[in-house]
């Protein structure tokens, strides 16, 4: 296929960032970046519902061929990790429900793909994306550029083997995660 759309997602329960690129003849073209603001909602389950609905809306609007999602990094706060994992899971479930292949990337891998430095700051990643994709301005919050970075990382890693965990649908997810799904 000479043309495909990649949706990149930076899951979060405060802000979910996302970005979309079109790949045409092995060249990247910027489509959109934005974020879903969830700060004003106190109920965690409402936030999860909104993440799912927004992801489905993006899928129905842009028809991505693949989804790249930032994997949660390990933090000290178990409650935060649980919430982040749920946010990621809900975004993944939206993609899986539409049979869209999903690949997870660790934050270090995404930063490395964009800047060449796995310890780069959000600002460095955003500036590099701005340069790569000729973005006129950068958003105030950099969660959306993190989502875009996941999509660009996936573009750079396409066609390589061993790029991260990848799922093509519920069946593949269940087979690759025995004992985790009941």
């Amino acid at each position: 296929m000479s043309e495909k759309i990649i949706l990149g997602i930076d899951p979060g329960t405060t802000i979910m960032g996302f970005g979309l690129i079109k790949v045409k003849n092995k060249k990247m073209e910027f489509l959109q970046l934005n974020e879903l603001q969830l700060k004003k909602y106190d109920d965690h389950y409402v936030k999860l519902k909104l993440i799912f609905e927004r992801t489905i809306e993006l899928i129905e609007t842009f028809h991505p061929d693949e989804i790249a999602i930032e994997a949660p990094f390990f933090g000290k706060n178990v409650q935060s990790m649980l919430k982040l994992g749920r946010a990621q899971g809900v975004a993944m479930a939206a993609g899986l429900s539409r049979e869209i292949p999903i690949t997870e990337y660790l934050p270090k891998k995404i930063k490395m793909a964009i800047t060449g430095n796995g310890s780069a700051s959000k600002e460095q990643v955003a500036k590099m994306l701005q340069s790569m994709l000729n973005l006129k301005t950068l958003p105030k919050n950099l969660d959306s550029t993190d989502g875009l970075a996941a999509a660009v990382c996936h573009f750079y890693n396409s066609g390589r083997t061993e790029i991260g965990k990848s799922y093509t649908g519920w069946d593949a997810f269940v087979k690759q995660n025995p004992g985790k799904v009941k």
Side-chain angles (χ1 to χ4, degrees):
M1 182 184 355
S2 64
E3 189 175 305
K4 70 178 171 183
I5 293 175
I6 302 170
L7 167 60
I9 299 174
D10 176 26
T13 53
T14 309
I15 300 172
M16 176 182 96
F18 56 88
L20 289 123
I21 58 171
K22 181 190 282 189
V23 179
K24 199 173 181 176
N25 301 321
K26 297 186 179 176
K27 285 194 168 56
M28 268 189 301
E29 185 183 310
F30 170 75
L31 290 179
Q32 186 190 14
L33 82 155
N34 210 329
E35 59 197 27
L36 172 63
Q37 286 285 343
L38 298 161
K39 286 182 188 124
K40 62 183 174 235
Y41 303 99
D42 292 329
D43 187 330
H44 184 64
Y45 299 106
V46 169
K47 290 180 180 190
L48 295 176
K49 178 179 177 276
L50 292 168
I51 291 167
F52 185 86
E53 288 172 350
R54 184 65 176 122
T55 305
I56 290 291
E57 186 183 315
L58 287 166
I59 290 167
E60 289 174 353
T61 304
F62 292 97
H63 309 285
D65 299 287
E66 297 168 7
I67 295 175
I69 193 162
E70 186 172 307
F73 55 91
F74 297 100
K76 289 186 176 98
N77 186 330
V78 176
Q79 253 350 61
S80 296
M81 283 295 301
L82 180 63
K83 286 179 179 173
L84 195 57
R86 286 177 174 170
Q88 183 202 29
V90 167
M92 289 171 76
L96 291 169
S97 74
R98 296 299 194 267
E99 301 293 318
I100 300 170
I102 297 170
T103 306
E104 293 178 72
Y105 293 96
L106 292 170
K108 268 190 176 319
K109 177 125 182 157
I110 293 172
K111 291 173 181 179
M112 191 71 179
I114 306 304
T115 67
N117 174 3
S119 303
S121 68
K122 279 180 173 286
E123 292 76 18
Q124 288 170 316
V125 170
K127 286 282 186 206
M128 197 64 158
L129 287 170
Q130 185 175 26
S131 168
M132 279 178 190
L133 298 166
N134 300 315
L135 305 177
K136 306 241 183 305
T137 58
L138 286 173
K140 182 168 56 95
N141 296 317
L142 298 180
D143 299 88
S144 52
T145 49
D146 285 352
L148 184 62
V152 173
C153 172
H154 187 64
F155 164 74
Y156 284 136
N157 284 281
S158 290
R160 292 191 192 163
T161 53
E162 201 51 52
I163 52 176
K165 291 185 181 172
S166 200
Y167 310 109
T168 53
W170 281 116
D171 292 340
F173 180 83
V174 172
K175 280 182 191 137
Q176 290 180 41
N177 293 281
K180 291 182 184 175
V181 182
K182 302 256 187 268

